[in-house]
Amino acid sequence: MFWMLLRFYCTLLVRSFLPRESEIALPNEDDSHLRRYSRNYKVKRNWVKNIWIGSSLLMICFPLLPFVLGLGLFTSFLSFAILDETA
C-alpha cells in the first residue's frame, strides 16, 4: 500500500512539471518553423550534435586556447552551414 501511495504522489509531482496537453505545440501549416518538424532537419540536427560532441572531445584532449577558439569558431560555422535552410 505504501509503494502505491508513493508511486501515486511521485506521478503527481512529475505531472505538475509537464505542460498540459492543450499547451503542447503541434505542427501547423501556417507555422514559419515547419521545417524543424521534418525528418530531413532532424537528421541534419543529429549531424550537428555529433560534430559538436567530436569537437568537444578534441577540445578536451588539446586544451590550448588558440586551438579551442579556432575549433569552436569553425564548428559554429559548420553548424550554421549544415542547418542553413537555403540549401
Side-chain angles (χ1 to χ4, degrees):
M1 182 73 174
F2 172 74
W3 292 112
M4 290 189 315
L5 281 174
L6 183 66
R7 183 176 172 193
F8 174 73
Y9 285 116
C10 287
T11 304
L12 282 180
L13 180 69
V14 169
R15 288 189 183 196
S16 67
F17 292 110
L18 294 175
R20 292 186 178 86
E21 193 169 333
S22 62
E23 297 174 350
I24 297 174
L26 296 175
N28 188 2
E29 291 298 325
D30 301 329
D31 191 3
S32 62
H33 297 283
L34 187 62
R35 64 181 174 86
R36 292 186 347 194
Y37 305 114
S38 69
R39 184 185 182 286
N40 189 21
Y41 187 80
K42 289 179 183 178
V43 168
K44 287 181 181 181
R45 200 171 59 197
N46 195 19
W47 269 94
V48 169
K49 180 191 73 167
N50 291 336
I51 288 172
W52 272 104
I53 289 172
S55 67
S56 298
L57 289 174
L58 279 173
M59 290 178 194
I60 290 172
C61 290
F62 304 105
L64 303 171
L65 184 61
F67 180 75
V68 169
L69 285 176
L71 187 61
L73 290 172
F74 177 71
T75 307
S76 297
F77 168 74
L78 198 58
S79 299
F80 284 123
I82 290 172
L83 294 176
D84 188 20
E85 63 185 44
T86 59

